[in-house]
Amino acid sequence: MTYDQRPGSAAVRGRSSQRSLRVRSRRLTAAFVAAAVLSSALPVAAQSSGDKAAAEALFDDGKRLMVQGQYAQACSKLEQSQRIDPGIGTLLYLAECYEKSGRTASAWATFREAASAARAGGQVERGRTGQQRADKLEATLSKLTLVVAPENNEIPGLEVTRGGSAISRALWNIPVPVDPGEHVIEARAPGRKTFSQAVRVGEQGAIATLRVPPLEVDASAPAPVEAAAAPAAPGAPDAPSSAGTASEGSVEADVADGSSQRTVALIVGGAGIVGLGVGTFFGLRAMSKNSDAEELCNEQNQCKSDAEELTEQAKSAAMISNIGFGLGAAALVGGAILYFTAPDTKPSARMQLTPVAGTRGGALFLRGAF
């Protein structure tokens, strides 16, 4: 089965669908001219033509290696191509490569990812293909259950890994699909001895279980360093003891300033700029794909089959662009509101109420800085 999203077929479609394709292309182009102008002042890390060429070369090399049965090398090439220039076709080939190399769980997850991306981009046929392949693999998935001792839940900083990758606590004590073969499980925490054990999982729906026992205290581990009290500034009065504070009835209060709110505002505003940058990048990508599609159509509105594929990719990029612009604009507005509504910074207010006794009675003295 082929999933190519690169040029290949020169077949000509019916005149009515071709005319519709040209109209959709023009509409998308017009829509994103405004988006490009809006974000022209924002720095965008656009993908270079060299990166695209590298992704194409890796993709073609991966397919060639698959035909030769060298699946380990082929999967590596396709993974690199997908990282450089993500594409649904590349995902489908990568999933098939995983399946042929026996990595059934990876194949199942990648087919599902490709199906989801295809449906989001309006590529119904590819979405159906990816889902069908995933469903076919599901019954053959091997699973591993990590039974973590309940005592470990109380250990601060506990981390459980499989092959060096952290495993979420939500995945403890339940069967999880894994690729057949050997997996190294480790559990570690500060001040505890590390637990490490390898477990082999069979093929064709095999079930394996590994128990992580309570981690033992590591007596050789260095004791935690306690934070030393900061020395008092020269000329500053000694801090009153708790007893003295109670006897004098001291009352201290700090007035919060707006610095924290302004910091949050700057973070939110920065996220808004990133969102607009993402919207601009995918808007330009959609325009580029539409331009490529129009080049595959002649003056008689006859288009090669690849033109429709390029238009579908443009639609997917357009959807991501719209989301980026929407979230970016909302974050910028929210950041501005937070920044300009923050209270003015004021020095900390300190008050001290001290009772004083004398031969003729008593008095209360209130002193402080405002």
Side-chain angles (χ1 to χ4, degrees):
M1 178 176 293
T2 60
Y3 316 104
D4 287 332
Q5 60 194 72
R6 277 72 179 172
S9 173
V12 178
R13 301 186 179 275
R15 188 178 289 268
S16 60
S17 63
Q18 295 152 358
R19 184 176 296 109
S20 174
L21 179 63
R22 295 289 297 275
V23 170
R24 282 186 293 166
S25 177
R26 293 192 185 99
R27 287 176 178 173
L28 279 171
T29 301
F32 283 103
V33 166
V37 172
L38 175 64
S39 304
S40 59
L42 297 176
V44 178
Q47 190 178 48
S48 69
S49 58
D51 289 340
K52 288 182 175 292
E56 289 286 348
L58 289 166
F59 177 80
D60 293 339
D61 201 23
K63 289 202 304 178
R64 178 183 60 79
L65 291 168
M66 282 182 64
V67 173
Q68 297 175 358
Q70 302 180 44
Y71 298 118
Q73 298 92 324
C75 294
S76 176
K77 299 286 187 181
L78 293 171
E79 287 170 349
Q80 295 176 60
S81 177
Q82 178 66 13
R83 279 195 293 269
I84 296 173
D85 185 20
I88 298 171
T90 308
L91 271 179
L92 289 169
Y93 270 109
L94 179 58
E96 183 165 346
C97 185
Y98 285 150
E99 182 180 4
K100 290 183 180 297
S101 62
R103 299 170 61 180
T104 50
S106 296
W108 172 73
T110 307
F111 272 128
R112 285 169 59 93
E113 180 183 355
S116 177
R119 287 193 294 265
Q123 301 182 36
V124 179
E125 186 59 33
R126 277 182 166 178
R128 185 182 299 112
T129 298
Q131 190 62 54
Q132 288 174 349
R133 296 293 296 273
D135 293 343
K136 184 178 178 181
L137 281 171
E138 190 164 4
T140 68
L141 294 178
S142 300
K143 297 180 180 180
L144 173 63
T145 302
L146 296 180
V147 180
V148 181
E151 295 87 342
N152 290 328
N153 293 329
E154 307 301 325
I155 299 177
L158 174 66
E159 182 183 49
V160 180
T161 63
R162 182 178 69 243
S165 299
I167 303 175
S168 169
R169 287 176 179 260
L171 299 179
W172 296 357
N173 306 312
I174 64 173
V176 177
V178 295
D179 292 332
E182 185 176 277
H183 299 267
V184 177
I185 306 300
E186 287 191 352
R188 62 173 65 88
R192 302 283 176 149
K193 294 181 179 180
T194 298
F195 167 84
S196 180
Q197 184 173 327
V199 57
R200 177 164 291 278
V201 182
E203 302 177 353
Q204 295 295 320
I207 301 294
T209 300
L210 187 141
R211 300 183 182 279
V212 179
L215 299 188
E216 300 178 5
V217 175
D218 187 359
S220 63
V225 179
E226 296 183 0
D238 294 337
S241 65
S242 58
T245 303
S247 62
E248 293 180 359
S250 299
V251 179
E252 295 186 357
D254 290 333
V255 178
D257 58 44
S259 60
S260 298
Q261 183 171 330
R262 290 191 180 89
T263 300
V264 173
L266 292 175
I267 294 174
V268 174
I273 293 176
V274 172
L276 292 180
V278 170
T280 301
F281 173 77
F282 281 96
L284 294 173
R285 182 180 177 89
M287 293 172 62
S288 175
K289 294 293 184 181
N290 277 307
S291 178
D292 292 343
E294 287 190 331
E295 290 178 2
L296 297 177
C297 299
N298 58 28
E299 296 299 329
Q300 288 75 36
N301 287 328
Q302 293 178 331
C303 303
K304 297 180 181 180
S305 59
D306 295 317
E308 184 171 358
E309 172 61 24
L310 288 169
T311 302
E312 292 298 335
Q313 293 179 27
K315 290 171 61 179
S316 179
M319 179 183 65
I320 299 175
S321 176
N322 289 337
I323 294 174
F325 277 121
L327 295 178
L332 278 178
V333 173
I337 293 174
L338 286 172
Y339 189 90
F340 291 110
T341 58
D344 293 334
T345 302
K346 295 181 181 179
S348 177
R350 299 174 60 85
M351 297 181 299
Q352 188 174 50
L353 185 65
T354 306
V356 177
T359 56
R360 296 186 178 182
L364 290 174
F365 284 90
L366 178 65
R367 59 183 178 180
F370 299 87

PDB file of all heavy atoms in Angstrom, residues 10 27 29 32 61 101 108 120 138 163 194-195 200 213 234 238 241 245 251 264 290 320 330 339 353 364 370:
ATOM      1  N   ALA A  10       0.020  11.408 -12.771  1.00  0.00           N
ATOM      2  CA  ALA A  10      -0.287  12.482 -13.713  1.00  0.00           C
ATOM      3  C   ALA A  10      -1.717  12.361 -14.219  1.00  0.00           C
ATOM      4  O   ALA A  10      -2.069  12.898 -15.282  1.00  0.00           O
ATOM      5  CB  ALA A  10       0.705  12.440 -14.886  1.00  0.00           C
ATOM      6  N   ARG A  27      -9.431  31.162  -2.758  1.00  0.00           N
ATOM      7  CA  ARG A  27     -10.018  31.667  -1.505  1.00  0.00           C
ATOM      8  C   ARG A  27      -9.035  31.551  -0.360  1.00  0.00           C
ATOM      9  O   ARG A  27      -8.904  32.450   0.471  1.00  0.00           O
ATOM     10  CB  ARG A  27     -11.299  30.889  -1.186  1.00  0.00           C
ATOM     11  CG  ARG A  27     -12.462  31.250  -2.102  1.00  0.00           C
ATOM     12  CD  ARG A  27     -13.667  30.376  -1.799  1.00  0.00           C
ATOM     13  NE  ARG A  27     -14.804  30.745  -2.632  1.00  0.00           N
ATOM     14  CZ  ARG A  27     -15.941  30.049  -2.669  1.00  0.00           C
ATOM     15  NH1 ARG A  27     -16.073  28.964  -1.914  1.00  0.00           N
ATOM     16  NH2 ARG A  27     -16.935  30.435  -3.448  1.00  0.00           N
ATOM     17  N   THR A  29      -5.792  31.474  -0.539  1.00  0.00           N
ATOM     18  CA  THR A  29      -4.701  32.425  -0.750  1.00  0.00           C
ATOM     19  C   THR A  29      -5.110  33.822  -0.314  1.00  0.00           C
ATOM     20  O   THR A  29      -4.367  34.522   0.378  1.00  0.00           O
ATOM     21  CB  THR A  29      -4.294  32.436  -2.233  1.00  0.00           C
ATOM     22  OG1 THR A  29      -3.878  31.116  -2.598  1.00  0.00           O
ATOM     23  CG2 THR A  29      -3.149  33.409  -2.467  1.00  0.00           C
ATOM     24  N   PHE A  32      -5.172  34.304   3.529  1.00  0.00           N
ATOM     25  CA  PHE A  32      -3.926  34.345   4.274  1.00  0.00           C
ATOM     26  C   PHE A  32      -3.012  35.480   3.870  1.00  0.00           C
ATOM     27  O   PHE A  32      -1.983  35.689   4.498  1.00  0.00           O
ATOM     28  CB  PHE A  32      -3.203  33.003   4.160  1.00  0.00           C
ATOM     29  CG  PHE A  32      -3.819  31.972   5.039  1.00  0.00           C
ATOM     30  CD1 PHE A  32      -4.641  31.005   4.515  1.00  0.00           C
ATOM     31  CD2 PHE A  32      -3.616  32.010   6.411  1.00  0.00           C
ATOM     32  CE1 PHE A  32      -5.238  30.078   5.333  1.00  0.00           C
ATOM     33  CE2 PHE A  32      -4.202  31.082   7.221  1.00  0.00           C
ATOM     34  CZ  PHE A  32      -5.021  30.117   6.694  1.00  0.00           C
ATOM     35  N   ASP A  61      14.893   7.498   1.070  1.00  0.00           N
ATOM     36  CA  ASP A  61      15.843   6.473   1.521  1.00  0.00           C
ATOM     37  C   ASP A  61      15.156   5.479   2.440  1.00  0.00           C
ATOM     38  O   ASP A  61      15.428   4.266   2.385  1.00  0.00           O
ATOM     39  CB  ASP A  61      17.010   7.144   2.241  1.00  0.00           C
ATOM     40  CG  ASP A  61      18.253   6.263   2.277  1.00  0.00           C
ATOM     41  OD1 ASP A  61      18.374   5.371   1.405  1.00  0.00           O
ATOM     42  OD2 ASP A  61      19.108   6.473   3.152  1.00  0.00           O
ATOM     43  N   SER A 101       8.764  -4.453  11.436  1.00  0.00           N
ATOM     44  CA  SER A 101       9.920  -4.757  12.284  1.00  0.00           C
ATOM     45  C   SER A 101       9.515  -5.391  13.604  1.00  0.00           C
ATOM     46  O   SER A 101      10.367  -5.630  14.466  1.00  0.00           O
ATOM     47  CB  SER A 101      10.733  -3.487  12.545  1.00  0.00           C
ATOM     48  OG  SER A 101       9.956  -2.519  13.239  1.00  0.00           O
ATOM     49  N   TRP A 108       0.874   0.560  16.243  1.00  0.00           N
ATOM     50  CA  TRP A 108      -0.521   0.844  16.599  1.00  0.00           C
ATOM     51  C   TRP A 108      -0.694   2.309  16.972  1.00  0.00           C
ATOM     52  O   TRP A 108      -1.600   2.987  16.492  1.00  0.00           O
ATOM     53  CB  TRP A 108      -0.911  -0.062  17.766  1.00  0.00           C
ATOM     54  CG  TRP A 108      -2.241   0.212  18.379  1.00  0.00           C
ATOM     55  CD1 TRP A 108      -3.471  -0.053  17.865  1.00  0.00           C
ATOM     56  CD2 TRP A 108      -2.473   0.816  19.672  1.00  0.00           C
ATOM     57  NE1 TRP A 108      -4.455   0.343  18.736  1.00  0.00           N
ATOM     58  CE2 TRP A 108      -3.876   0.869  19.848  1.00  0.00           C
ATOM     59  CE3 TRP A 108      -1.641   1.297  20.664  1.00  0.00           C
ATOM     60  CZ2 TRP A 108      -4.444   1.411  21.002  1.00  0.00           C
ATOM     61  CZ3 TRP A 108      -2.213   1.829  21.814  1.00  0.00           C
ATOM     62  CH2 TRP A 108      -3.602   1.873  21.966  1.00  0.00           C
ATOM     63  N   ALA A 120      -8.397  15.416  11.098  1.00  0.00           N
ATOM     64  CA  ALA A 120      -8.358  16.852  11.401  1.00  0.00           C
ATOM     65  C   ALA A 120      -8.089  17.669  10.145  1.00  0.00           C
ATOM     66  O   ALA A 120      -8.559  18.803  10.027  1.00  0.00           O
ATOM     67  CB  ALA A 120      -7.292  17.145  12.453  1.00  0.00           C
ATOM     68  N   GLU A 138      -4.687  -4.036  17.123  1.00  0.00           N
ATOM     69  CA  GLU A 138      -5.031  -3.942  18.542  1.00  0.00           C
ATOM     70  C   GLU A 138      -5.127  -5.299  19.219  1.00  0.00           C
ATOM     71  O   GLU A 138      -4.710  -5.474  20.368  1.00  0.00           O
ATOM     72  CB  GLU A 138      -6.337  -3.174  18.707  1.00  0.00           C
ATOM     73  CG  GLU A 138      -6.639  -2.820  20.141  1.00  0.00           C
ATOM     74  CD  GLU A 138      -7.706  -1.739  20.246  1.00  0.00           C
ATOM     75  OE1 GLU A 138      -8.244  -1.327  19.201  1.00  0.00           O
ATOM     76  OE2 GLU A 138      -7.994  -1.323  21.382  1.00  0.00           O
ATOM     77  N   GLY A 163      13.157   1.879  29.886  1.00  0.00           N
ATOM     78  CA  GLY A 163      14.097   2.221  28.833  1.00  0.00           C
ATOM     79  C   GLY A 163      14.593   3.650  28.920  1.00  0.00           C
ATOM     80  O   GLY A 163      14.911   4.261  27.900  1.00  0.00           O
ATOM     81  N   THR A 194      18.341   2.436  44.231  1.00  0.00           N
ATOM     82  CA  THR A 194      17.677   2.308  42.927  1.00  0.00           C
ATOM     83  C   THR A 194      17.327   0.849  42.660  1.00  0.00           C
ATOM     84  O   THR A 194      18.147  -0.051  42.859  1.00  0.00           O
ATOM     85  CB  THR A 194      18.576   2.839  41.808  1.00  0.00           C
ATOM     86  OG1 THR A 194      18.818   4.234  42.019  1.00  0.00           O
ATOM     87  CG2 THR A 194      17.922   2.662  40.442  1.00  0.00           C
ATOM     88  N   PHE A 195      16.096   0.636  42.209  1.00  0.00           N
ATOM     89  CA  PHE A 195      15.654  -0.693  41.792  1.00  0.00           C
ATOM     90  C   PHE A 195      15.744  -0.767  40.275  1.00  0.00           C
ATOM     91  O   PHE A 195      15.282   0.135  39.565  1.00  0.00           O
ATOM     92  CB  PHE A 195      14.210  -0.947  42.245  1.00  0.00           C
ATOM     93  CG  PHE A 195      13.572  -2.149  41.596  1.00  0.00           C
ATOM     94  CD1 PHE A 195      13.782  -3.424  42.109  1.00  0.00           C
ATOM     95  CD2 PHE A 195      12.773  -2.010  40.463  1.00  0.00           C
ATOM     96  CE1 PHE A 195      13.197  -4.532  41.508  1.00  0.00           C
ATOM     97  CE2 PHE A 195      12.178  -3.105  39.869  1.00  0.00           C
ATOM     98  CZ  PHE A 195      12.397  -4.371  40.391  1.00  0.00           C
ATOM     99  N   ARG A 200      11.175  -9.455  29.931  1.00  0.00           N
ATOM    100  CA  ARG A 200      10.964  -9.776  28.522  1.00  0.00           C
ATOM    101  C   ARG A 200       9.475  -9.978  28.269  1.00  0.00           C
ATOM    102  O   ARG A 200       8.809 -10.729  28.969  1.00  0.00           O
ATOM    103  CB  ARG A 200      11.747 -11.026  28.116  1.00  0.00           C
ATOM    104  CG  ARG A 200      11.504 -11.448  26.666  1.00  0.00           C
ATOM    105  CD  ARG A 200      12.554 -12.430  26.191  1.00  0.00           C
ATOM    106  NE  ARG A 200      13.854 -11.792  26.064  1.00  0.00           N
ATOM    107  CZ  ARG A 200      14.214 -11.068  25.005  1.00  0.00           C
ATOM    108  NH1 ARG A 200      13.365 -10.876  24.006  1.00  0.00           N
ATOM    109  NH2 ARG A 200      15.413 -10.532  24.955  1.00  0.00           N
ATOM    110  N   PRO A 213       9.265  -3.355  44.185  1.00  0.00           N
ATOM    111  CA  PRO A 213       9.123  -3.455  45.647  1.00  0.00           C
ATOM    112  C   PRO A 213       9.340  -2.111  46.314  1.00  0.00           C
ATOM    113  O   PRO A 213       9.792  -1.143  45.685  1.00  0.00           O
ATOM    114  CB  PRO A 213      10.231  -4.450  46.017  1.00  0.00           C
ATOM    115  CG  PRO A 213      11.284  -4.227  44.973  1.00  0.00           C
ATOM    116  CD  PRO A 213      10.540  -3.907  43.695  1.00  0.00           C
ATOM    117  N   PRO A 234      24.201  44.651  58.370  1.00  0.00           N
ATOM    118  CA  PRO A 234      24.893  45.523  59.356  1.00  0.00           C
ATOM    119  C   PRO A 234      23.993  46.654  59.823  1.00  0.00           C
ATOM    120  O   PRO A 234      23.362  47.339  59.019  1.00  0.00           O
ATOM    121  CB  PRO A 234      26.088  46.065  58.555  1.00  0.00           C
ATOM    122  CG  PRO A 234      26.307  45.070  57.452  1.00  0.00           C
ATOM    123  CD  PRO A 234      24.945  44.543  57.124  1.00  0.00           C
ATOM    124  N   ASP A 238      18.254  43.079  65.808  1.00  0.00           N
ATOM    125  CA  ASP A 238      18.096  41.635  65.875  1.00  0.00           C
ATOM    126  C   ASP A 238      16.627  41.278  65.756  1.00  0.00           C
ATOM    127  O   ASP A 238      15.745  41.979  66.245  1.00  0.00           O
ATOM    128  CB  ASP A 238      18.644  41.102  67.207  1.00  0.00           C
ATOM    129  CG  ASP A 238      20.156  41.288  67.299  1.00  0.00           C
ATOM    130  OD1 ASP A 238      20.793  41.388  66.222  1.00  0.00           O
ATOM    131  OD2 ASP A 238      20.676  41.343  68.434  1.00  0.00           O
ATOM    132  N   SER A 241      12.618  37.210  69.229  1.00  0.00           N
ATOM    133  CA  SER A 241      12.269  35.807  69.412  1.00  0.00           C
ATOM    134  C   SER A 241      10.763  35.668  69.464  1.00  0.00           C
ATOM    135  O   SER A 241      10.021  36.629  69.652  1.00  0.00           O
ATOM    136  CB  SER A 241      12.883  35.281  70.716  1.00  0.00           C
ATOM    137  OG  SER A 241      12.302  35.959  71.819  1.00  0.00           O
ATOM    138  N   THR A 245       8.079  38.306  70.915  1.00  0.00           N
ATOM    139  CA  THR A 245       6.987  38.800  70.086  1.00  0.00           C
ATOM    140  C   THR A 245       5.657  38.633  70.777  1.00  0.00           C
ATOM    141  O   THR A 245       4.799  39.510  70.749  1.00  0.00           O
ATOM    142  CB  THR A 245       6.973  38.057  68.733  1.00  0.00           C
ATOM    143  OG1 THR A 245       8.245  38.239  68.107  1.00  0.00           O
ATOM    144  CG2 THR A 245       5.866  38.555  67.840  1.00  0.00           C
ATOM    145  N   VAL A 251       2.609  43.266  66.131  1.00  0.00           N
ATOM    146  CA  VAL A 251       1.763  42.939  64.987  1.00  0.00           C
ATOM    147  C   VAL A 251       2.466  43.446  63.743  1.00  0.00           C
ATOM    148  O   VAL A 251       2.775  44.640  63.651  1.00  0.00           O
ATOM    149  CB  VAL A 251       0.367  43.600  65.107  1.00  0.00           C
ATOM    150  CG1 VAL A 251      -0.473  43.259  63.907  1.00  0.00           C
ATOM    151  CG2 VAL A 251      -0.307  43.161  66.393  1.00  0.00           C
ATOM    152  N   VAL A 264       3.433  37.917  35.654  1.00  0.00           N
ATOM    153  CA  VAL A 264       2.485  37.018  34.982  1.00  0.00           C
ATOM    154  C   VAL A 264       2.006  37.628  33.669  1.00  0.00           C
ATOM    155  O   VAL A 264       1.873  36.950  32.649  1.00  0.00           O
ATOM    156  CB  VAL A 264       1.294  36.709  35.911  1.00  0.00           C
ATOM    157  CG1 VAL A 264       0.231  35.912  35.171  1.00  0.00           C
ATOM    158  CG2 VAL A 264       1.766  35.945  37.140  1.00  0.00           C
ATOM    159  N   ASN A 290      -1.087  26.062  -1.559  1.00  0.00           N
ATOM    160  CA  ASN A 290      -2.078  26.422  -2.568  1.00  0.00           C
ATOM    161  C   ASN A 290      -1.409  26.877  -3.861  1.00  0.00           C
ATOM    162  O   ASN A 290      -1.883  26.588  -4.963  1.00  0.00           O
ATOM    163  CB  ASN A 290      -2.985  27.534  -2.029  1.00  0.00           C
ATOM    164  CG  ASN A 290      -4.091  26.995  -1.169  1.00  0.00           C
ATOM    165  OD1 ASN A 290      -4.823  26.111  -1.589  1.00  0.00           O
ATOM    166  ND2 ASN A 290      -4.203  27.468   0.039  1.00  0.00           N
ATOM    167  N   ILE A 320      -4.651  25.170  11.693  1.00  0.00           N
ATOM    168  CA  ILE A 320      -3.676  25.422  12.755  1.00  0.00           C
ATOM    169  C   ILE A 320      -3.380  26.916  12.855  1.00  0.00           C
ATOM    170  O   ILE A 320      -3.237  27.478  13.942  1.00  0.00           O
ATOM    171  CB  ILE A 320      -2.392  24.626  12.491  1.00  0.00           C
ATOM    172  CG1 ILE A 320      -2.700  23.121  12.470  1.00  0.00           C
ATOM    173  CG2 ILE A 320      -1.327  24.935  13.541  1.00  0.00           C
ATOM    174  CD1 ILE A 320      -1.514  22.257  12.098  1.00  0.00           C
ATOM    175  N   ALA A 330      -5.840  36.454  22.018  1.00  0.00           N
ATOM    176  CA  ALA A 330      -6.458  36.432  23.343  1.00  0.00           C
ATOM    177  C   ALA A 330      -5.407  36.586  24.448  1.00  0.00           C
ATOM    178  O   ALA A 330      -5.611  37.294  25.432  1.00  0.00           O
ATOM    179  CB  ALA A 330      -7.228  35.119  23.527  1.00  0.00           C
ATOM    180  N   TYR A 339      -1.304  43.588  33.056  1.00  0.00           N
ATOM    181  CA  TYR A 339      -0.190  44.512  33.291  1.00  0.00           C
ATOM    182  C   TYR A 339      -0.698  45.877  33.760  1.00  0.00           C
ATOM    183  O   TYR A 339      -0.191  46.455  34.720  1.00  0.00           O
ATOM    184  CB  TYR A 339       0.643  44.659  32.018  1.00  0.00           C
ATOM    185  CG  TYR A 339       1.929  45.418  32.233  1.00  0.00           C
ATOM    186  CD1 TYR A 339       3.086  44.752  32.583  1.00  0.00           C
ATOM    187  CD2 TYR A 339       1.981  46.806  32.104  1.00  0.00           C
ATOM    188  CE1 TYR A 339       4.279  45.447  32.796  1.00  0.00           C
ATOM    189  CE2 TYR A 339       3.156  47.509  32.318  1.00  0.00           C
ATOM    190  CZ  TYR A 339       4.307  46.821  32.662  1.00  0.00           C
ATOM    191  OH  TYR A 339       5.469  47.485  32.878  1.00  0.00           O
ATOM    192  N   LEU A 353       3.091  47.178  67.826  1.00  0.00           N
ATOM    193  CA  LEU A 353       2.318  47.685  68.955  1.00  0.00           C
ATOM    194  C   LEU A 353       2.981  47.184  70.230  1.00  0.00           C
ATOM    195  O   LEU A 353       3.067  45.980  70.455  1.00  0.00           O
ATOM    196  CB  LEU A 353       0.872  47.191  68.877  1.00  0.00           C
ATOM    197  CG  LEU A 353      -0.105  47.730  69.916  1.00  0.00           C
ATOM    198  CD1 LEU A 353      -0.284  49.244  69.730  1.00  0.00           C
ATOM    199  CD2 LEU A 353      -1.438  47.013  69.800  1.00  0.00           C
ATOM    200  N   LEU A 364       0.311  52.453  75.397  1.00  0.00           N
ATOM    201  CA  LEU A 364       0.580  51.660  74.206  1.00  0.00           C
ATOM    202  C   LEU A 364       1.257  52.544  73.182  1.00  0.00           C
ATOM    203  O   LEU A 364       0.777  53.627  72.879  1.00  0.00           O
ATOM    204  CB  LEU A 364      -0.730  51.088  73.631  1.00  0.00           C
ATOM    205  CG  LEU A 364      -1.434  49.983  74.440  1.00  0.00           C
ATOM    206  CD1 LEU A 364      -2.758  49.656  73.789  1.00  0.00           C
ATOM    207  CD2 LEU A 364      -0.565  48.759  74.542  1.00  0.00           C
ATOM    208  N   PHE A 370       5.579  53.451  56.757  1.00  0.00           N
ATOM    209  CA  PHE A 370       4.509  53.275  55.768  1.00  0.00           C
ATOM    210  C   PHE A 370       4.954  53.891  54.457  1.00  0.00           C
ATOM    211  O   PHE A 370       5.633  54.900  54.428  1.00  0.00           O
ATOM    212  CB  PHE A 370       3.211  53.926  56.243  1.00  0.00           C
ATOM    213  CG  PHE A 370       2.675  53.358  57.528  1.00  0.00           C
ATOM    214  CD1 PHE A 370       3.106  53.859  58.740  1.00  0.00           C
ATOM    215  CD2 PHE A 370       1.787  52.315  57.515  1.00  0.00           C
ATOM    216  CE1 PHE A 370       2.622  53.351  59.931  1.00  0.00           C
ATOM    217  CE2 PHE A 370       1.312  51.799  58.703  1.00  0.00           C
ATOM    218  CZ  PHE A 370       1.726  52.302  59.915  1.00  0.00           C
TER     219      PHE A 370
END
